Structure formats: structure tokens, C-alpha cells
Amino acid sequence: MQKIIILDFGSQTTQLIGRRVRELDTFCEIMPYNKYPEDDKDVHDPEAFKVNLDRFMGRLPVLGICYGAQFISHTLGGKVEKADSREYGRANLGFIDKSNILFKGFDDNSQVWMSHGDTITAIPEGFECIASTANVKYAAYASKTQPVWAVQFHPEVFHSVQGTQLLKNFVVDVCGSKQAWSADSFVETTVAELKAQVGNDRVILGLSGGVDSSVAAVLLNKAIGDRLTCIFVDHGMLRKNEFRDVMEDYKCLGLNVIGVDASEKFFADLAGVSDPEQKRKIIGRDFVEVFNAEAKKIKDAKWLAQGTIYPDRIESLNITGKVIKSHHNVGGLPKEMHLQLCEPLKWLFKDEVRRVGRSMGMPEHLITRHPFPGPGLAVRILGDITPEKVRILQDADDIYIRGLREYKTKLSGEQARAVLAAGVPADMKDGEIEVSLYDQIWQAGTILLSTVRSVGVMGDERTYEHPVALRAVTSTDAMTADWAHLPYDFMAKCSNEIINKVKGVNRVCYDISSKPPATIEWE
């Protein structure tokens, strides 16, 4: 199989580069190393990440991006120096060598996105400048004799308007990709691989109602049919009517699902617990107990399937000596279960998982579901957990999420490209698309501030009830996120409906914090 290798120097946009390559119907793999450079390290720092260029330069086509461009220049005899000021944001390529294959099809003055503190002040002997901006002389350079190119801007971000064209020029025209990687081909190949891997064995899969586990279940069902048994545990802190609705969806998909209502156990064990980390540990422990009890009833099961996706595995790798982010799907199996692990989605990004789901004919409302925390609403209730608090939050959240799905807006330009690239089905008309607010954002949810009460007035009476905070963020991979700029009329309608209809709430706030420094969830 053809493959593009992406060497990870610790950039936050490494995964985005991978996604852009995959969008070109080309398989790629991000190769992590044992050490990330710290934020204040540059190519001169003895602890900065370095790689032996002789291993591939001259044998394989190479494209250096940002730090990669600086590293190539520094290593081969060029010069990289501190810029007078950090070069960050939009810039335009005033000079472009359009005869160079990397810039085939580029427009004059094409907009790009810069993000670096150092800058290349001299390129190595045997290389030539092929693009410049007003402030960056060597915005791009190339070898005169070898298939080596380098750019100091970021072609993977949407602000680089023709960045996808540049990547296509490299991946397809230079590297010769046949562009054979697609959702349909993935389904065909993976179903065959699952049949070979599992054979006639039985498989257990823990369903969450989310996109990843649902797509993994449908894939396995295509491969092994009723030898797959799915377990869906209701801990009592799902969204309103979610257990019932999801079970009905799974029934329509023809999946063999065991639904377990364990809400009484979870509520009892969480009684009086306010510390968020303790809440997570209790829910995690109880989930394993309930899941294992059901799994042991399934005789002759030899495999445990999980909806682990590629970013889960990348983020969980111990590259720096520190765990960047822990995931519920990564970290091993209960030893007493003696099950082998099956991860049919382990090479896919989230948007690719959705494309695979569509390829298999899954309903759109399952495919476009936002990420939802494993502990559910327990980490969206500040303070201890009670059934009544969960009821209040479920009712408020239901109004918010339904409103996001119903409210449509028109998008164009960068916003439209971002939504379409995420796999949201929409028709372009006169340069515009119309999509719901729900499909424009990465994740949304409501938080109940149950440790806080606020004074209000309803009718002629004074109220003393809880506020709720609405949260909505835009992101590509949840590593960083910005708060979504929702329309005022939508927010006004949503606030009014929550306060009027949800007993126990008399104030609605909107969280305008980005990640970092905040996190997407409050707990």
C-alpha cells in the first residue's frame, strides 16, 4: 500500500497535516519519536528534536513544513535566526515561482498562514528560493538537484487558501499517489481483515452511543454478523432519552445489543461525592464491574472490540516521558477477561470515521453526534450528583441541543470549506452552503452550576435557583478549541426557553473560554 510518512516534530497541527493528506485519498502515518521539543526550543537547542536526513533525503521526496523547513536549512548549511518579531497570522506570497511543481495552479499573491518565532535567513548551497512574502524572504525553497521542498508557512490550515493544492502537488504529482484510499475501500479491506483476524470467534464490544463505537460495531457486524455481542451500559447520566433512542437506533442497524440499566448502582456509589476526579474514578470502576459481569455471561468470547481511533493512539504515546492525554480506550484490558483486542478504526481520524459510517449507510444523526464524555453528565454537574440534578440538566441540555440542530445558517469561504472538509453533507449553491449550528461546531453541552444559586424574579415571586452555562466550541481534533460565536437571536431564544420550561433554573450563561487555557469540559 502506498503511504506518506509524516515525521512529528511536536507541532499541534501534525494531526491536521495527516487529515489533509487523507483528504487526498492517500494513506499516511504519523511517526512519533521519543521526545518533543519544548515550546522554547529552536533548531540550535541541543535538546531540540533532530533526525538523520541521510536516511531518506535523496532517496524519497521530502517536504519540510515550518520547523521542518528550518531544520533542513540549519542541518545542510543554511542559517536560521531569531526573527525581530514573531511571524504569526495571514501573509501573502508576493513572489511565487509558478514553474516549480510545488506551486502548480497557484494564484498571484496567494494567502498563507505563518506561525514561527525563528526565520530562515540563508538557504543551503544547491537550493533556491521559490516563494517569498513581504516579511519572509524564504517562505519556500527547493533543491536544484533532489526532490526536496520546504515551506515556512502552514499549508494544512484553512487560512492558507491554496494549501490543499500545494499538498496535492506534492502527494500526487511528486510522490505519485494513486489516490486509492477512500471510505469505500477502507470498508472493503477492513471487513476482509476482520474476517481473517477473528475467524469463527465471538467478539464483545462496549457501545457508548457515540460515533466511534457505533461505526466499529457496524463494521464488525458486516464481517462476523451475530458472533458480535454489543453491551450498552446506562449509568443514568446520559442525555435525555438517550438510552432508549440509541437502543432503537442499534436495533434498526441490526446489531445484537444487550442494554443494561445500572443507574441505581451508579447513583448510590456517587452519593455525596463532589470531587471531579473521584467522580470519574467511581464511574470508571462501576462501568468495568457492570461490563465485566455482562461479558462473562457470553460464553466462548475471545475478543474485545473498541472504537479506538488514530488520534487516541497518537495522543497516548509516551513521547515526552509524560502522558499527554489519557483515553478510556487506551491502556489495556482487565487481566481476568483474557480477551484479545480488536480495534477496526485504529488508523482513522474522526472525520474519516464519519465517512466510513456514511459509506455503510448509517443514519446521519448517529454519524454527526458530537463527542460526549464517558462519565456523561456527571462531569457537567458541579458538585455532588443526584437524580434530580441530572433531570434538570437533561431538560436544559435537550432544549439547547435541539435548538442547535434546528437553527440553520449560510456559510461561505473559509467557514464553508472547513465544514465540508469535516464531512458534513451540504450542497454548495452560489458559493454558499446552509447547515445547522450543530454541524458547524465540534462539541456542545450544558453545565449545571449546582453549587451556585442565583436570585431571579418569575411573575411576582422571587426565585433562588441554579444557573446553567452553555458551552460550544469549534475544533478539528479537540487538542485546541475556540468558543463558537453563536448568533444572538439563537442564544436569546434558547435562554428564554430554558428558563421558562426547566424547573430549577433561573439564569443562563455562555462560556467564552478557549482551550487552552480552559478545557472543553468543566470537570
Side-chain angles (χ1 to χ4, degrees):
M1 177 174 61
Q2 292 184 316
K3 177 164 58 177
I4 298 289
I5 296 294
I6 299 172
L7 299 181
D8 185 6
F9 287 83
S11 170
Q12 289 184 331
T13 62
T14 298
Q15 289 191 37
L16 189 53
I17 298 172
R19 290 178 65 230
R20 293 291 172 264
V21 173
R22 295 279 185 90
E23 287 166 11
L24 295 170
D25 298 328
T26 303
F27 182 72
C28 67
E29 184 176 351
I30 296 171
M31 300 292 292
Y33 286 78
N34 60 0
K35 195 171 187 179
Y36 277 102
E38 298 296 334
D39 290 342
D40 60 350
K41 288 181 171 57
D42 56 39
V43 294
H44 305 94
D45 194 301
E47 294 186 28
F49 177 74
K50 294 178 173 64
V51 66
N52 182 2
L53 296 176
D54 293 336
R55 293 177 60 189
F56 45 82
M57 192 168 288
R59 296 193 307 110
L60 301 169
V62 175
L63 173 62
I65 295 176
C66 196
Y67 178 93
Q70 295 174 357
F71 177 71
I72 291 171
S73 176
H74 174 75
T75 303
L76 299 183
K79 187 177 291 185
V80 180
E81 299 179 301
K82 290 286 185 185
D84 293 336
S85 61
R86 180 174 167 82
E87 293 164 342
Y88 180 83
R90 293 176 176 84
N92 295 92
L93 298 178
F95 160 68
I96 305 173
D97 180 0
K98 294 185 181 180
S99 67
N100 192 286
I101 192 170
L102 197 66
F103 289 110
K104 184 186 74 174
F106 262 58
D107 299 329
D108 292 336
N109 216 37
S110 185
Q111 178 182 292
V112 296
W113 184 264
M114 295 286 185
S115 180
H116 53 91
D118 296 345
T119 193
I120 298 169
T121 56
I123 56 177
E125 186 177 347
F127 286 76
E128 61 184 347
C129 176
I130 56 174
S132 304
T133 71
N135 297 317
V136 181
K137 180 178 181 181
Y138 299 109
Y141 65 93
S143 170
K144 298 177 182 178
T145 58
Q146 296 181 328
V148 180
W149 292 262
V151 296
Q152 281 202 94
F153 55 88
H154 287 269
E156 70 275 14
V157 304
F158 285 107
H159 302 301
S160 291
V161 175
Q162 293 183 284
T164 299
Q165 179 66 42
L166 184 147
L167 291 174
K168 183 179 181 182
N169 291 343
F170 179 74
V171 170
V172 179
D173 294 347
V174 173
C175 298
S177 168
K178 296 178 181 177
Q179 296 184 281
W181 172 264
S182 67
D184 290 345
S185 67
F186 176 84
V187 171
E188 181 180 354
T189 302
T190 304
V191 167
E193 290 174 350
L194 288 170
K195 288 179 178 179
Q197 179 186 22
V198 174
N200 294 319
D201 296 342
R202 290 193 173 277
V203 179
I204 301 171
L205 185 145
L207 286 170
S208 67
V211 181
D212 302 336
S213 65
S214 298
V215 172
V218 175
L219 261 175
L220 275 159
N221 190 54
K222 287 177 72 71
I224 64 173
D226 61 7
R227 283 182 285 114
L228 169 69
T229 301
C230 303
I231 300 174
F232 182 27
V233 177
D234 180 9
H235 49 39
M237 285 150 284
L238 299 173
R239 283 181 155 139
K240 187 173 182 177
N241 300 324
E242 185 170 26
F243 184 68
R244 181 199 68 194
D245 294 344
V246 171
M247 284 295 291
E248 189 61 33
D249 282 330
Y250 288 147
K251 183 179 178 181
C252 294
L253 289 170
L255 297 177
N256 176 25
V257 183
I258 298 172
V260 184
D261 182 357
S263 54
E264 287 189 13
K265 172 180 174 58
F266 282 87
F267 279 125
D269 291 348
L270 287 167
V273 177
S274 297
D275 180 74
E277 189 61 23
Q278 194 176 354
K279 285 192 286 188
R280 287 180 178 272
K281 287 180 178 178
I282 290 171
I283 292 171
R285 180 201 68 201
D286 283 5
F287 180 87
V288 170
E289 288 179 6
V290 173
F291 183 86
N292 286 359
E294 290 298 324
K296 288 176 181 176
K297 299 175 185 177
I298 303 167
K299 304 300 181 184
D300 303 323
K302 295 183 179 179
W303 297 84
L304 176 67
Q306 295 185 154
T308 310
I309 63 174
Y310 197 31
D312 293 343
R313 300 190 303 122
I314 297 171
E315 293 167 7
S316 299
L317 289 170
N318 199 2
I319 300 168
T320 62
K322 299 177 181 178
V323 176
I324 301 168
K325 183 179 180 183
S326 60
H327 292 264
H328 65 280
N329 277 347
V330 180
L333 307 173
K335 293 180 180 179
E336 69 274 11
M337 292 183 69
H338 304 293
L339 297 176
Q340 300 176 74
L341 185 60
C342 176
E343 297 174 310
L345 307 179
K346 65 182 180 181
W347 291 108
L348 297 187
F349 290 97
K350 177 72 78 173
D351 51 331
E352 293 175 317
V353 174
R354 292 190 167 108
R355 290 191 182 98
V356 167
R358 291 189 181 97
S359 174
M360 296 188 296
M362 293 176 62
E364 195 65 28
H365 69 272
L366 263 183
I367 295 170
T368 57
R369 276 179 57 108
H370 289 172
F372 189 65
L377 300 180
V379 293
R380 293 182 179 175
I381 297 174
L382 273 59
D384 65 326
I385 309 298
T386 67
E388 174 61 12
K389 290 179 181 179
V390 171
R391 192 276 307 166
I392 292 172
L393 183 52
Q394 284 177 333
D395 288 346
D397 186 70
D398 184 58
I399 291 170
Y400 180 38
I401 298 300
R402 280 193 294 104
L404 289 170
R405 289 187 181 278
E406 293 168 1
Y407 193 103
K408 309 277 187 178
T409 63
K410 291 184 177 180
L411 301 177
S412 60
E414 292 177 5
Q415 288 180 309
R417 290 202 306 275
V419 169
L420 291 173
V424 175
D427 295 324
M428 182 78 76
K429 185 177 181 181
D430 299 327
E432 291 184 328
I433 59 173
E434 185 177 66
V435 292
S436 70
L437 288 176
Y438 186 89
D439 286 335
Q440 293 176 42
I441 59 183
W442 173 266
Q443 187 172 342
T446 310
I447 298 91
L448 176 63
L449 311 184
S450 70
T451 57
V452 177
R453 289 183 181 272
S454 66
V455 175
V457 178
M458 292 185 181
D460 296 323
E461 296 183 0
R462 174 184 182 274
T463 63
Y464 193 52
E465 296 178 330
H466 299 296
V468 295
L470 306 182
R471 181 76 159 139
V473 298
T474 57
S475 182
T476 57
D477 53 19
M479 297 294 285
T480 60
D482 193 13
W483 61 278
H485 296 225
L486 301 179
Y488 287 159
D489 61 332
F490 164 78
M491 297 176 73
K493 181 177 183 297
C494 188
S495 172
N496 187 58
E497 190 172 353
I498 289 174
I499 291 173
N500 285 337
K501 293 183 178 180
V502 182
K503 185 178 180 181
V505 175
N506 67 353
R507 192 177 299 270
V508 176
C509 311
Y510 187 59
D511 183 349
I512 59 170
S513 309
S514 297
K515 176 188 179 182
T519 54
I520 296 176
E521 298 292 345
W522 280 39
E523 290 193 343

